[in-house]
Structures are given as structure tokens and as C-alpha cells.
Amino acid sequence: VQLQASGGGLVQAGGFLRLSCAASGSIFRVNFMGWYRQAPGEQRALVAGIYNDVNTNYADSVKGRFTISRDNAKNTVYLQMNSLEPEDTAVYYCDAHISTSNRPALNYWGQGTLVTVSS
């Protein structure tokens, strides 16, 4: 199983970006999908997560600005980031809990994509 993230880049404060992360391989079931971020000198932290198609959760700092969604047919998770702030600058990692057979899911990480917000 591999996770391929894309969509990062440089944007001015107040702008927007959309991150995508596609899971591929011998996938039986995808449970949780989410996005974490890690800024220099800080620990990796959850930004947003989506469980099945309905339940989502967000870090307080991004509520109202970021929206997570998923396309189950494509095993892909998206993060729409609006009203970006310099404090959102970080490497963003996608995460997914995936079963490759009818067994407990394992955790997989994408390679990370850099988001830089200039003031």
C-alpha cells in the first residue's frame, strides 16, 4: 500500500490550496483518512480527519477554514485549505488506516507535501 500526496506549494496569506492523497495497492478497506502537519521545531499534529463518509474532526486552529473530504471510489482524501495564514506553513502528511485483507487495519503515511504561506 502506498499513499501519494500532492497539492502543496507557496501561497500568499489569505489564499487557498487543495491537497490530495491517493491510496493504492491491495486495499480491502480504508477506515480513517487524515492530514497531519509538522512545522520546523514542532511535533507532528493532526489537522483534520475523516472516518467513513460522515464523521470529521479538525484542529481548533483550522476550524472554519479547512475542509476534509474523501472519495471512496478513488481511495483519495482531500484537504481544502482556505484563508491560509503564515502559521499554516508546514509539511503536510496524509495518513490512512487500511486493511489489505479482512484483518485489523494498519497505519500508512504519505511522503509529505510542503505548504508555505507568505505574509
Side-chain angles (χ1 to χ4, degrees), residues 86-110:
E87 292 74 21
D88 296 316
T89 296
V91 178
Y92 284 69
Y93 297 90
C94 61
D95 172 49
H97 300 175
I98 297 173
S99 299
T100 56
S101 63
N102 194 15
R103 294 178 181 178
L106 297 179
N107 192 45
Y108 295 88
W109 290 97

Side-chain angles (χ1 to χ4, degrees), residues 43-95:
Q43 291 188 336
R44 191 175 300 188
L46 179 68
V47 176
I50 183 166
Y51 306 79
N52 49 66
D53 291 334
V54 179
N55 298 317
T56 60
N57 66 306
Y58 295 91
D60 288 343
S61 60
V62 307
K63 285 180 180 177
R65 300 187 298 121
F66 291 10
T67 302
I68 190 169
S69 61
R70 61 191 280 179
D71 183 333
N72 290 329
K74 297 180 179 180
N75 290 324
T76 298
V77 63
Y78 305 96
L79 186 67
Q80 179 67 41
M81 305 185 293
N82 299 329
S83 302
L84 282 161
E85 303 169 352
E87 292 74 21
D88 296 316
T89 296
V91 178
Y92 284 69
Y93 297 90
C94 61
D95 172 49

